[in-house]
Amino acid sequence: MGLSGKDGALLRARRIPMEDGRSKEHVGEVTRVNHEFLEMLLGQGYVPIISPVGLGEDGQTYDLGSDAVAAEIACALKAHKLIYLHDAPGILRGEELFNELTVSELEAHLAAGAFTGSMQTRARMTLKALGGGSVERVHVIDGRVPHSLIAELFTNKGVGTLVTR
């Protein structure tokens, strides 16, 4: 079932202020996930496909970013595992693929400036999910590769990056 984060007040949001006090007009962050609505859909056998936009208290629509929304939803639903499908082989430092990382290793690489751009966002959102309580494992795999999800979950070596608490 295709949903917008605005449907059923699924994703509530607020504008993200920038360091200089201004803000990007339509870029926000999740403030609340209506997990009851999602649990109802899941309980009825639906698989929700969610557009990462949310509704602000000010009535505005905010772009929340797919990685952030996935992390927030995984935490709200108390998921044990989160899988990110991206257009990269996993979490990379330059051309180097990390097959497995712990939270502390990922935090150290992030603090050392090992990641830039979307890889930095991917690393931060992975940490957010793992810090949310129930998520124990985050898989970051290449969605462009046929059967990558099966290879990651059902082989000993996997094909992407596995980050664990």
Side-chain angles (χ1 to χ4, degrees):
M1 170 180 273
L3 297 171
S4 159
K6 294 169 34 175
D7 294 329
L10 176 56
L11 300 172
R12 298 299 274 185
R14 69 174 176 200
R15 185 177 292 171
I16 298 176
M18 294 169 59
E19 291 179 14
D20 61 5
R22 297 179 304 150
S23 60
K24 292 182 179 179
E25 187 154 349
H26 297 289
V27 177
E29 63 187 355
V30 176
T31 59
R32 182 179 180 281
V33 174
N34 184 349
H35 66 90
E36 297 92 352
F37 179 52
L38 282 175
E39 288 167 354
M40 178 195 70
L41 292 172
L42 292 167
Q44 293 180 10
Y46 290 100
V47 176
I49 308 299
I50 303 163
S51 174
V53 295
L55 183 63
E57 298 297 330
D58 56 5
Q60 296 295 310
T61 299
Y62 292 101
D63 175 4
L64 304 173
S66 58
D67 288 345
V69 167
E72 294 286 353
I73 289 173
C75 292
L77 292 177
K78 297 179 177 27
H80 296 285
K81 184 181 296 189
L82 173 61
I83 301 170
Y84 284 118
L85 294 173
H86 282 290
D87 60 351
I91 296 179
L92 303 167
R93 179 177 54 196
E95 297 296 315
E96 177 189 2
L97 172 66
F98 292 104
N99 294 103
E100 263 187 70
L101 290 166
T102 64
V103 165
S104 57
E105 291 169 338
L106 184 56
E107 287 171 335
H109 288 297
L110 193 58
F115 311 117
T116 60
S118 62
M119 200 59 63
Q120 185 179 54
T121 300
R122 199 163 296 152
R124 283 196 333 267
M125 292 305 110
T126 296
L127 291 171
K128 181 176 196 132
L130 289 164
S134 62
V135 179
E136 298 170 0
R137 304 164 72 90
V138 175
H139 299 261
V140 182
I141 61 176
D142 196 335
R144 303 169 299 178
V145 176
H147 313 295
S148 60
L149 183 59
I150 292 168
E152 179 67 15
L153 296 177
F154 297 110
T155 63
N156 290 333
K157 184 166 168 33
V159 296
T161 303
L162 170 62
V163 185
T164 57
R165 278 201 265 161

